[in-house]
Amino acid sequence: KFLKNHQPEPPAQKKTRLRNMAATGKTETSKKPVVVKYGLNLVTALVEKKKAQLVIIAHDVDPIELVVWMPALCRKMNIPYCIVKGKSRLGRVVHKKNAAVLCLNVV
């Protein structure tokens, strides 16, 4: 429920938003919205740069060696993390079938 507020924009909604902007001739001047970042490589890079504020790891990643080192990296960088049930639940947040790791830049 917490991550529902930070979901990325669905592709269809983004397409209509960009078309409306092109029709009116306006450009975006607002800040980037706070969204969930996903993917093992991207999350790892954000943790190493200390830009991640919260890391969420799925418990059923196969092979487990893909994420078994992530809690140790988070502890080393003093970034809070949690392990949740089901990578399909994490995938629903980012409009994919499944996702092994998510992170938030701003909590």
Side-chain angles (χ1 to χ4, degrees), residues 2 12 16 22 25 28 37 39 41 56 64 66 83 91 93 96 106:
F2 170 71
T16 57
E28 287 183 330
K37 304 291 184 181
N41 289 337
I56 305 159
I64 193 68
L66 292 175
I83 299 174
V93 172
K96 301 285 182 193
V106 179

Side-chain angles (χ1 to χ4, degrees), residues 86-103:
K87 61 185 177 182
S88 62
R89 286 184 184 180
L90 296 182
R92 261 186 266 144
V93 172
V94 293
H95 308 294
K96 301 285 182 193
K97 188 164 45 172
N98 50 28
V101 182
L102 302 178
C103 83

Side-chain angles (χ1 to χ4, degrees), residues 27-76:
T27 59
E28 287 183 330
T29 57
S30 62
K31 290 178 127 181
K32 279 186 169 182
V34 177
V35 295
V36 175
K37 304 291 184 181
Y38 66 97
L40 198 56
N41 289 337
L42 179 61
V43 172
T44 303
L46 290 172
V47 169
E48 287 174 346
K49 294 175 188 172
K50 291 192 176 188
K51 294 199 177 193
Q53 296 291 316
L54 174 67
V55 176
I56 305 159
I57 306 167
H59 88 287
D60 59 347
V61 178
D62 187 44
I64 193 68
E65 288 83 11
L66 292 175
V67 294
V68 76
W69 49 269
M70 185 64 78
L73 179 64
C74 290
R75 268 189 246 116
K76 179 182 175 188

